[in-house]
Amino acid sequence: MSASLRVPTAPPQAAPPRAPSPGPATALLDAYRPGADRFLASPGRTLLGTGTAAEVPHDDRPPAVRVQEALDAARRAGNAAPVVMGSLPFDPRATASLAVPQTVRRAPALRDDPLVALPVPAAEPGTWQTREVPAAAGYAAAVAAAVGRMRAGEFDKVVLARTLELTSSRDLDLPAMLRRLARHDPGGYTFAVPSGPGRTLIGASPELLVARTGGRLTANPLAGSAPRSSDLAEDVRRAAALLESPKDLHEHAVVVDAVRETLAPFCTGLDVPEQPTLVRTEAMWHLSTTVTGTLADPDTSSLVLASALHPTPAVCGTPTDVARAVIAESEPFERGAYTGMVGWQDADGDGEWVVTIRCAEAEGRSLRLFAGAGVVAASSPEAETAETGAKFRTFLNAVGAAL
């Protein structure tokens, strides 16, 4: 009988770690569907929430309390990592649109996704009916009236807005609009969330209100703007002029001082740079200051901080109560979610809340776009009207319409 020969085998080798597949963030962007989904992308992450496990109720309690209650209830129900996603309006008394999704898919930032650099298809030409509310001349008159009151010493700053109502000849393609907004500025804050029955809030904001990660906070107020130019030399000239503009530097300082004053009581240390820097979007240059701090109480949630800051002078004015009254007198529409905040928070209190600008509310075949400008005593009605027109461009480019 012959003996069989056993050849020793090498121990199994662990498989080499797999590199992240290209396109995890753009996969979430492409998966977005209006109605049931909530999409949020920031310079740090991409989130896609699907379905609704629980709505955050509307009552007289602070939003941070109601949100934390919803998150704690979701944990008790077996969700190990619940997240609230959605938006809060400009008027704190109005109803917010916040919910715990049934599922949340996560990916790295869009700007780190190699596929985000692929060319984005242009918006298909369509027929749009447009209506400005108020018309440019009416808006300029409101700015002039506010400037007169500021020069008389009534208040220091007010942010006045106008809207552009677009009605399409065919159904809106919100996923395509969202993809174009995100790919034109993958380093910004892109969002699409339900804002009411049959309505969607969609946009690409450049401005972080506040983020909290553990015991650290970051805020990035923007104030002072200039339209960009397609001519490189002119674009650089406008950026340099913005950095030296007394009017815009004053407007920016008012906002930064308010952010410092609001956040300081929450912090053991707060770092506020002395001079602003520039950030750019597809349509605008903005003066920017990044504020960072260490929380005195690490249990202070991101929404507690955001609610304390909202509304900053960057979207309302100063003094706040007077500016609110001027806005109510001057704007012939309700702002709703515009200049509120949109974002997310988890059960540990971490989260990101973004100022809701460069946005539109979609309903049926209609889009309602918003744009505003900070008005101070040195403002020019013509310049502020032109600034709002430039800010409309972000969304007009995404839908293939013109002003």
Side-chain angles (χ1 to χ4, degrees):
M1 178 183 290
S2 60
S4 61
L5 179 64
R6 181 180 295 274
V7 179
T9 58
Q13 298 293 315
R18 295 181 63 184
S21 58
T26 50
L28 296 189
L29 178 64
D30 293 343
Y32 165 77
R33 294 296 177 266
D37 292 351
R38 294 168 174 84
F39 180 88
L40 297 169
S42 76
R45 60 188 50 78
T46 305
L47 302 177
L48 179 65
T50 300
T52 300
E55 297 276 359
V56 176
H58 177 72
D59 55 41
D60 292 335
R61 294 173 299 164
V65 172
R66 292 181 275 126
V67 163
Q68 193 62 53
E69 183 180 86
L71 289 165
D72 291 342
R75 266 186 170 172
R76 291 193 298 271
N79 187 339
V83 173
V84 158
M85 301 174 69
S87 66
L88 294 95
F90 173 68
D91 183 350
R93 299 165 299 180
T95 303
S97 297
L98 298 165
V100 180
Q102 290 179 335
T103 61
V104 177
R105 295 162 60 188
R106 298 168 172 84
L110 273 171
R111 65 179 178 183
D112 298 328
D113 189 321
L115 298 187
V116 81
L118 293 177
V120 56
E124 295 184 11
T127 301
W128 293 93
Q129 294 180 342
T130 64
R131 185 168 78 99
E132 298 176 71
V133 181
Y139 179 79
V143 171
V147 167
R149 294 174 65 179
M150 281 183 280
R151 291 177 178 173
E154 289 189 40
F155 54 97
D156 298 321
K157 176 184 176 179
V158 66
V159 178
L160 295 180
R162 62 187 180 117
T163 69
L164 184 62
E165 297 176 0
L166 304 180
T167 303
S168 176
S169 58
R170 58 189 176 196
D171 293 342
L172 304 179
D173 189 346
L174 295 184
M177 291 181 199
L178 184 67
R179 289 193 294 271
R180 282 190 288 271
L181 288 167
R183 290 177 184 271
H184 281 305
D185 187 15
Y189 300 88
T190 307
F191 52 87
V193 296
S195 56
R199 299 196 304 274
T200 299
L201 178 67
I202 181 171
S205 174
E207 185 169 2
L208 173 68
L209 182 62
V210 69
R212 196 208 86 165
T213 304
R216 296 285 294 171
L217 68 82
T218 304
N220 184 205
L222 306 182
S225 306
R228 298 196 61 192
S229 171
S230 58
D231 178 82
L232 178 59
E234 174 62 16
D235 196 42
V236 171
R237 188 200 66 77
R238 292 183 184 183
L242 181 61
L243 276 174
E244 297 178 352
S245 164
K247 176 260 181 186
D248 290 288
L249 289 170
H250 168 69
E251 180 185 343
H252 188 79
V254 167
V255 176
V256 173
D257 287 346
V259 170
R260 177 195 288 110
E261 182 178 343
T262 300
L263 292 180
F266 293 99
C267 297
T268 57
L270 195 64
D271 181 26
V272 184
E274 292 185 4
Q275 299 295 328
T277 58
L278 286 172
V279 297
R280 64 185 180 186
T281 66
E282 184 183 26
M284 302 295 296
W285 285 105
H286 298 283
L287 293 177
S288 164
T289 294
T290 300
V291 177
T292 55
T294 301
L295 291 172
D297 179 358
D299 290 332
T300 303
S301 73
S302 63
L303 192 49
V304 166
L305 298 168
S307 298
L309 285 168
H310 176 70
T312 72
V315 297
C316 182
T318 185
T320 302
D321 290 345
V322 178
R324 278 190 180 278
V326 174
I327 288 169
E329 296 165 8
S330 305
E331 294 179 356
F333 58 88
E334 292 292 330
R335 287 192 176 189
Y338 172 66
T339 62
M341 46 186 167
V342 60
W344 65 274
Q345 181 180 299
D346 66 20
D348 294 325
D350 285 348
E352 296 173 297
W353 296 97
V354 178
V355 181
T356 312
I357 53 177
R358 308 296 190 279
C359 64
E361 190 168 54
E363 183 174 14
R365 292 186 171 186
S366 296
L367 283 169
R368 190 184 190 198
L369 282 60
F370 302 85
V375 181
V376 294
S379 290
S380 155
E382 295 76 18
E384 306 302 354
T385 304
E387 181 176 319
T388 59
K391 288 175 176 175
F392 280 135
R393 266 186 17 223
T394 296
F395 220 100
L396 291 172
N397 290 344
V399 302
L403 178 58

